Amino acid sequence: LFNYTRSFHQDLTLAYLDTLENMTSDFYHSKNRPLFEILEQLPVNQNPVDEFELQYADCGPGMGFIMYDSKGNKIKVELDTGTNGGLFTIHDDSVGKVLSGEEFAVIEDGIQYNYMDGPADMHYKLVSFQKPPLDDFLVGYFDGEFSKADGCFSPFSFKGYAISIDPIKRKVHLRSKQALDNYLNSIDEFTSVNYINRAGWIYIPCRVNGKEVLMMVESGSRDVNLNSISVIQLDLETYQGSIQWRGKDYPMEKVDFTLEIGDLKYEVKGGLISDFVLGNTFYGMASSGDIGPDFLRNYAFTIDPFQQRLILEERMRED
């Protein structure tokens, strides 16, 4: 219940946190109480502008955009749908320190990403940005190692806006509900599927070789990956392959299959198989795997928080 309420209601999150801390003298999430208390007090951004276009940026296999704070400091941030809790994180504390705004909280060992050897202290400040024009925007920063960008953000970081990314036309938009409705009314075709929000991680219904599954949308991953349990359940044939990382080949079990999302079909060639799927461990029980940026780069896509849906538009690629 604690993790569930983090997706939509900070008051309830704190209430369940109180209950858990009364039951156990030392509960893991208690160190994040200052963050939840700040989130509870932050207003939804009431910027009168319904739509912003931002400068698109490649972030390794992922995608993101450029932002400028009120002092003109430039940062590149990557969309990471695997960033839970709706957070916006800078993975270099030297970058975070120079952003406009005063630090108001430090949570010891408050964050850990899968590329890190251990947890790091998390610093928080409220930053004013000129592009996009946002005041009192919550930014967390820490001492990490992240080569793709200065940091990453959850699709729910920008309260009151849906995020639309078109990797083919290299465009990014933040849209209010009205602006998104107007945009969808102006286009001929799109596919949408409702997602399940679990602590800021999103899961969508799909079909693998015609069989219904639940998959996590993980823009910080690569292509489409399955866990080893789902491979057995779906009766898929596997084969030995390899994956290149930092100039070396590593043996890897792989699988081919057809992925369907609504009316869209996508042929997965060399999908990876893993015993460990991050989203499953915490919030994604019954998820068969994850859908990464190699898939998303084929479409213009929107994560719509107003109707809780993933919207996909097919694009024609030029050579």
Side-chain angles (χ1 to χ4, degrees):
L1 289 173
F2 168 77
N3 286 325
Y4 177 66
T5 56
R6 288 178 63 190
S7 303
F8 64 92
H9 204 305
Q10 299 301 330
D11 290 344
L12 286 178
T13 300
L14 288 168
Y16 283 122
L17 185 57
D18 288 337
T19 303
L20 290 165
E21 290 180 342
N22 287 332
M23 294 168 61
T24 61
S25 59
D26 182 21
F27 184 65
Y28 174 76
H29 287 284
S30 62
K31 66 186 178 185
N32 289 317
R33 175 178 288 280
L35 172 61
F36 296 133
E37 291 174 346
I38 289 294
L39 289 171
E40 181 187 24
Q41 299 170 20
L42 284 180
V44 174
N45 191 283
Q46 298 295 326
N47 198 302
V49 180
D50 281 338
E51 182 173 342
F52 306 107
E53 182 173 346
L54 300 172
Q55 181 183 345
Y56 177 91
D58 287 313
C59 304
M63 60 214 78
F65 52 79
I66 304 297
M67 298 176 69
Y68 295 87
D69 76 353
S70 58
K71 297 190 296 185
N73 294 308
K74 173 184 173 181
I75 57 173
K76 181 171 77 168
V77 289
E78 178 191 12
L79 171 66
D80 183 5
T81 54
T83 293
N84 67 4
L87 295 180
F88 183 103
T89 57
I90 298 298
H91 297 219
D92 184 339
D93 56 1
S94 65
V95 174
K97 288 176 182 176
V98 301
L99 292 176
S100 63
E102 296 295 324
E103 180 183 295
F104 65 82
V106 180
I107 300 176
E108 293 185 2
D109 294 340
I111 192 164
Q112 183 171 359
Y113 277 81
N114 57 5
Y115 69 80
M116 298 166 61
D117 294 332
D121 294 346
M122 190 69 167
H123 303 254
Y124 288 99
K125 62 169 55 175
L126 297 177
V127 179
S128 294
F129 285 93
Q130 54 177 301
K131 291 182 182 181
L134 298 170
D135 293 323
D136 294 331
F137 186 78
L138 182 66
V139 173
Y141 57 96
F142 62 99
D143 183 16
E145 297 177 4
F146 194 59
S147 60
K148 298 186 293 182
D150 294 311
C152 59
F153 62 93
S154 160
F156 307 112
S157 298
F158 301 92
K159 306 300 183 184
Y161 292 102
I163 182 164
S164 300
I165 298 182
D166 188 338
I168 298 173
K169 295 184 177 180
R170 301 179 66 82
K171 292 183 179 296
V172 180
H173 290 86
L174 294 178
R175 294 185 172 105
S176 69
K177 184 179 185 305
Q178 184 60 56
L180 179 59
D181 289 342
N182 292 341
Y183 171 74
L184 294 176
N185 288 333
S186 71
I187 60 178
D188 295 328
E189 294 184 10
F190 61 88
T191 296
S192 71
V193 289
N194 290 106
Y195 61 72
I196 299 168
N197 184 341
R198 294 176 176 166
W201 298 17
I202 59 178
Y203 301 81
I204 59 172
C206 307
R207 293 181 299 279
V208 169
N209 288 358
K211 297 180 180 179
E212 298 284 342
V213 298
L214 192 70
M215 299 280 282
M216 178 184 174
V217 179
E218 170 55 304
S219 63
S221 180
R222 289 302 295 263
D223 196 0
V224 181
N225 311 296
L226 297 178
N227 61 53
S228 53
I229 294 177
S230 66
V231 170
I232 296 171
Q233 290 177 326
L234 296 167
D235 194 26
L236 299 176
E237 293 186 10
T238 67
Y239 57 92
Q240 287 300 122
S242 64
I243 184 171
Q244 190 173 80
W245 186 62
R246 294 185 175 179
K248 294 183 179 180
D249 288 330
Y250 293 84
M252 197 76 179
E253 195 174 12
K254 294 189 174 185
V255 64
D256 299 338
F257 58 90
T258 301
L259 176 71
E260 295 177 80
I261 301 176
D263 296 329
L264 299 179
K265 286 189 177 183
Y266 180 78
E267 296 299 328
V268 178
K269 301 297 183 184
L272 302 183
I273 302 169
S274 175
D275 293 333
F276 174 73
V277 177
L278 187 62
N280 273 34
T281 306
F282 297 106
Y283 313 111
M285 298 307 292
S287 173
S288 292
D290 57 69
I291 299 171
D294 287 354
F295 168 86
L296 293 171
R297 281 180 175 276
N298 294 280
Y299 307 93
F301 64 93
T302 297
I303 298 173
D304 172 12
F306 312 114
Q307 297 190 45
Q308 292 200 327
R309 57 183 173 166
L310 174 69
I311 301 167
L312 299 168
E313 305 168 56
E314 293 195 75
R315 287 285 189 261
M316 293 295 294
R317 285 185 178 276
E318 297 181 359
D319 291 341

